[in-house]
Amino acid sequence: MLIDPSTRIMSPPVERPISRRAMLAALGGMSFYLALGRNGLRIVGRAQAAVSGDVQLTPWVRIAPDDTVTIYSAGAEMGQGSMTSLALIVAEEMDADWSKVRIEFAPTDAAVYGYPLRNHRSMAIVGSRAVQVYFRSLRIAGAQVRKVLLTNAGTRWGVDPATLKTEPGAVVDPLRGRRLSYGEIAAAAEPPAIIPAVDSAELKPRKEFRLIGRTVPRRDVPGKVNGSTLYAIDVRLPGMAYATALHSPVAGGEAESWNEDEIKRMPGIISTMHVPGGIAVVASQFEQAIAARDALEPTWKPGKATGYDSERALEAYARMHAEPSAPAAKLEAKGDVDAAFAGAASVYRAAFRSDYGYHAQLEPLNAVVALNGTATAAEVWEGSQSPDATRRAVARALGLNPAQVTVHQCHMGGGFGRRTLGDYAAECARIAKEVRRPVKLIWTREEDVAHGMFRPQACQFLEAAQDPTGRVIGWRHSVVGDGGSLLASGMRLLCYRIPNVSLELRAVAGGVPVKHWRAVGHLFNTFAIESFVDHLAAQAGMDPLAFRLQHMSITAKARRCCEAVAQMCQWSARRPDGRALGISASERSGSVAAGAVEIAVDRASGRIRVHKVWLAIDAGLIVTPGAAKANVESGVLYGLSAVLHERITVRGGVVEQSNFHDYRVMRMSDLPDEIEVAFLDSETRPTGIGEIGVPFVPGAVANAFFRLTGRRLAHLPFTPERVLAALER
């Protein structure tokens, strides 16, 4: 499938998905590539590639005679830079000339390109996984390519490969002053059937890295600047129809009837049809589909969330926690918690709340699907965080097996956890099958908000037991809400080693769809934990940083981060009048951080202004520092927006917000004056970067608010109304 970026016109879809064999045969300039088969990694020649019947044959690296190196990246690209970072890891170990490296999305084949996840393999880029889960395997893959290049050069020159070296893009013979480019080797090589093994000792030592640890320009940026980058919303196919949908305003509801005859008489309307949870309208032009959607007069069957009220639900959560007989799932039980509390010198309790949050990704949810004439194969264009999940979802919707579905991965205009299910792609597939032509489905912003999958709302209840010295020796944390494991994210005390800990979940069902949201439950759980620690420090009359270091059994990593951020923000220095600092420790995806914010409060309007942010992070080895820093800054801003503005409410089962006029997100005028990010030097493997900038934010802001006003904020988000109410208490 060829794409002309200047016109965004797609060539006609083939009658069946492009097979792996056909794809390989079409790679005319390829000399050899790294492949993973049932018997392990091997190097395959051009002729072998075109005729191989190995069903797990999957290329990672192609080298052309003109020295172009093409590296496949399994990292979904939604603006975080993973596509560049993963390819750079391979290029480092194979000593590729980065200026001659091309990057392409990996085919959607989790059996080969996926990483191990519990009992299966996954391509989902969520939870800051991309670099940390692929780092070692991609280093080995790159080192194996380099080893084969050395072997082939040695054979050509008739010398021991051990006497040869590589430099970017070439093998050199230092004893005889000879040089062969990778393209020259690839053009003439007869590679071995089995690639030589590479052990850890053969990987480059850190001091020899040319690319890893250095900031390189992201490869996706130029296309996004000049408009040539292809998003699914840009794809156009010959004969393509346009669709949009209207789903039940109450989650779980279904369409009972609608004014179908009237809608079909409107200009350009091709069809209306039932889809799970709603109605789809198909038209010749998108504007016609939108006009028909707006003219729909549906009647709806009741849904799971009928009558649900989110504010009343929070009150019910609190009553549920107070009910001793309410069912609770134990998430962690360490030590003897009951004994710790029974013998404690003091016990302190506090409660916190948080509202639903919307993902607010910039690009509307959309997909394009084309079926062959017999509806026995399908092609999908979508920007997905989990293209393998999309493949499965579309296959289920069409009654096919996943092998009959080809997913063309596209760039994404934001994901944040929403683009992992393939639900809207499956909806598009159903529509395409019904109308028997390619279809582009676009959800309106209003549809995405009303039919959203939200960050869960929750209530947090915490208790701490202290010994006579003030050291925290017992900890209880109960979360109540709807969302199952989503609620538990971030509850574990990974920054502190309290000896006696009890964590529990009390689940309720409200019928509102909930979903992973950037850092999942870390936002509200870390808020509760770090605000509560600040409560304990105030109760003890101690500086909140000193309390963490002396009485919370802080881990070595967290201590290092706290000490670093204290130095960055000059914690003990006097702040300007009307401003105060707050601090918070956090963890996510193996990374540990400590952050501080400097805030001011407009006591007339209730508006909190965050002026400065500092964040110290231990995330192991940083592969691409520039992209990592941008990722963290993005997380900080995303966290500030969620903490100060973003709120979804549900009344009568219907979401009250509809677009960005009443679901407020951070504006340019709200941005901090300064954000300073420091990565602490570490020799350990890379850990997650994409979400570590989020969890510390609410605790740091709430703690700064207390230092400034002597009042506590305990309900996310900190809207002006809630700030004013706190100031009046």
Side-chain angles (χ1 to χ4, degrees):
M1 195 61 61
L2 302 176
I3 301 171
D4 180 351
S6 65
T7 61
R8 299 284 173 83
I9 300 294
M10 306 290 295
S11 65
V14 293
E15 282 301 300
R16 61 181 183 277
I18 299 173
S19 69
R20 190 178 294 111
R21 182 179 301 180
M23 178 189 72
L24 296 173
L27 299 176
M30 178 180 64
S31 290
F32 66 85
Y33 62 87
L34 181 65
L36 180 61
R38 289 192 180 92
N39 297 319
L41 285 158
R42 56 197 177 95
I43 291 293
V44 190
R46 180 189 303 162
Q48 291 171 281
V51 300
S52 173
D54 188 333
V55 297
Q56 292 197 33
L57 189 65
T58 303
W60 280 98
V61 176
R62 298 200 318 267
I63 303 177
D66 67 356
D67 292 331
T68 298
V69 175
T70 300
I71 300 175
Y72 283 80
S73 176
E77 183 56 64
M78 57 194 117
Q80 83 282 33
S82 292
M83 192 176 187
T84 299
S85 298
L86 295 187
L88 183 137
I89 295 166
V90 178
E92 177 69 81
E93 286 293 343
M94 67 175 285
D95 243 353
D97 180 344
W98 186 246
S99 68
K100 296 180 179 179
V101 169
R102 295 176 64 251
I103 307 173
E104 297 180 12
F105 284 120
T108 301
D109 190 343
V112 180
Y113 284 102
Y115 53 87
L117 181 65
R118 293 184 285 275
N119 60 350
H120 68 291
R121 300 184 75 84
S122 173
M123 293 181 71
I125 300 303
V126 296
S128 307
R129 285 181 186 162
V131 169
Q132 63 175 326
V133 298
Y134 282 109
F135 182 69
R136 178 172 170 76
S137 61
L138 292 183
R139 288 189 70 191
I140 291 173
Q144 287 171 320
V145 174
R146 178 177 178 271
K147 200 166 188 177
V148 169
L149 290 164
L150 288 166
T151 299
N152 277 278
T155 300
R156 181 166 173 177
W157 284 328
V159 300
D160 183 355
T163 65
L164 306 178
K165 298 180 181 296
T166 58
E167 59 185 32
V171 173
V172 295
D173 181 352
L175 298 178
R176 300 164 186 84
R178 294 181 289 190
R179 182 182 186 278
L180 281 172
S181 75
Y182 285 177
E184 290 174 311
I185 299 171
E190 287 297 332
I194 302 298
I195 191 168
V198 170
D199 61 35
S200 297
E202 295 179 274
L203 298 176
K204 281 187 181 181
R206 185 172 178 177
K207 64 182 180 181
E208 293 182 11
F209 286 165
R210 292 187 173 105
L211 298 171
I212 292 176
R214 290 167 174 76
T215 294
V216 299
R218 278 173 41 181
R219 291 297 180 86
D220 59 313
V221 171
K224 290 175 178 177
V225 172
N226 65 30
S228 63
T229 294
L230 189 86
Y231 295 83
I233 204 168
D234 299 318
V235 172
R236 288 184 288 167
L237 304 180
M240 185 177 75
Y242 294 80
T244 193
L246 178 67
H247 295 89
S248 169
V250 175
E254 295 285 346
E256 191 166 49
S257 64
W258 63 91
N259 51 333
E260 183 174 13
D261 292 339
E262 178 185 339
I263 297 298
K264 285 186 175 180
R265 289 194 293 269
M266 295 180 68
I269 298 304
I270 297 169
S271 177
T272 66
M273 58 179 288
H274 176 269
V275 291
I279 307 160
V281 179
V282 191
S284 299
Q285 299 295 329
F286 182 62
E287 293 79 6
Q288 295 167 333
I290 288 293
R293 177 190 182 275
D294 293 344
L296 282 170
E297 296 176 0
T299 58
W300 302 101
K301 298 177 183 178
K304 293 179 180 178
T306 297
Y308 180 79
D309 186 292
S310 56
E311 293 186 353
R312 288 206 305 264
L314 284 173
E315 300 300 329
Y317 293 176
R319 292 194 298 272
M320 182 177 183
H321 177 263
E323 175 54 57
S325 62
K330 189 69 69 174
L331 303 176
E332 182 177 338
K334 183 175 71 172
D336 191 336
V337 176
D338 290 341
F341 275 86
S346 60
V347 173
Y348 194 81
R349 298 176 177 85
F352 305 87
R353 297 183 179 188
S354 61
D355 295 330
Y356 290 111
Y358 167 59
H359 291 85
Q361 71 284 340
L362 179 63
E363 181 192 11
L365 299 178
N366 68 93
V368 176
V369 177
L371 282 72
N372 67 354
T374 57
T376 56
E379 292 186 71
V380 182
W381 288 261
E382 186 205 0
S384 173
Q385 291 180 245
S386 183
D388 50 328
T390 289
R391 192 184 194 196
R392 293 191 300 270
V394 169
R396 284 194 301 269
L398 297 175
L400 304 176
N401 65 61
Q404 294 171 284
V405 177
T406 299
V407 176
H408 302 286
Q409 174 72 305
C410 299
H411 290 262
M412 284 170 277
F416 314 119
R418 176 61 183 91
R419 298 181 186 267
T420 63
L421 297 177
D423 54 311
Y424 45 91
E427 183 172 272
C428 185
R430 291 185 175 94
I431 299 168
K433 184 176 181 179
E434 175 77 15
V435 300
R436 298 187 177 185
R437 60 195 292 182
V439 170
K440 177 188 289 186
L441 170 71
I442 304 175
W443 283 16
T444 64
R445 179 67 60 184
E446 290 80 5
E447 187 62 26
D448 189 26
V449 176
H451 194 62
M453 297 180 181
F454 306 119
R455 182 190 70 236
Q457 70 172 15
C459 283
Q460 315 283 335
F461 302 91
L462 291 94
E463 299 177 79
Q466 295 173 275
D467 68 12
T469 69
R471 186 172 70 98
V472 176
I473 56 171
W475 186 274
R476 291 187 179 124
H477 184 169
S478 173
V479 59
V480 185
D482 186 4
S485 62
L486 300 181
L487 296 172
S489 165
M491 287 183 72
R492 296 179 62 201
L493 293 174
L494 298 182
C495 291
Y496 309 111
R497 289 202 173 95
I498 308 301
N500 306 289
V501 176
S502 171
L503 307 179
E504 67 174 29
L505 167 64
R506 300 190 179 200
V508 295
V512 175
V514 292
K515 186 71 179 69
H516 301 82
W517 184 97
R518 196 168 186 176
V520 201
H522 278 66
L523 184 88
F524 49 77
N525 281 319
T526 305
F527 161 56
I529 293 166
E530 289 300 308
S531 293
F532 189 48
V533 172
D534 220 67
H535 284 227
L536 296 173
Q539 188 79 358
M542 288 185 65
D543 174 88
L545 175 61
F547 185 87
R548 285 168 170 81
L549 299 180
Q550 295 175 29
H551 294 315
M552 286 297 297
S553 302
I554 194 167
T555 65
K557 275 189 176 183
R559 175 181 292 274
R560 189 169 171 237
C561 290
C562 283
E563 291 173 345
V565 84
Q567 185 174 3
M568 290 165 65
C569 71
Q570 299 180 337
W571 175 257
S572 300
R574 178 181 173 83
R575 315 321 295 183
D577 289 344
R579 297 191 187 184
L581 285 182
I583 194 169
S584 171
S586 63
E587 55 76 27
R588 174 61 176 157
S589 303
S591 295
V592 174
V597 298
E598 181 179 285
I599 75 164
V601 178
D602 185 328
R603 293 174 181 264
S605 68
R607 179 171 174 257
I608 295 175
R609 177 65 190 267
V610 177
H611 289 276
K612 297 181 181 181
V613 180
W614 300 266
L615 189 61
I617 305 168
D618 186 333
L621 173 65
I622 306 300
V623 172
T624 48
K629 183 173 183 288
N631 229 337
V632 171
E633 291 171 341
S634 164
V636 169
L637 297 181
Y638 204 77
L640 285 172
S641 185
V643 166
L644 298 179
H645 305 292
E646 299 184 37
R647 182 187 186 214
I648 286 287
T649 55
V650 181
R651 192 177 300 276
V654 178
V655 175
E656 294 188 290
Q657 293 72 30
S658 63
N659 209 316
F660 291 130
H661 69 286
D662 55 3
Y663 184 83
R664 193 179 192 283
V665 296
M666 177 175 279
R667 284 8 183 213
M668 290 288 286
S669 59
D670 300 322
L671 298 185
D673 304 319
E674 299 175 23
I675 300 177
E676 184 180 343
V677 176
F679 295 111
L680 305 187
D681 190 47
S682 175
E683 296 292 330
T684 60
R685 65 177 179 83
T687 50
I689 286 291
E691 297 172 308
I692 190 62
V694 177
F696 85 96
V697 174
V701 172
N703 297 339
F705 182 83
F706 174 75
R707 294 187 89 191
L708 186 62
T709 68
R711 301 289 188 271
R712 292 288 182 188
L713 294 171
H715 194 159
L716 288 173
F718 306 147
T719 62
E721 296 78 15
R722 287 173 180 165
V723 169
L724 290 174
L727 292 173
E728 291 171 1
R729 286 199 293 269

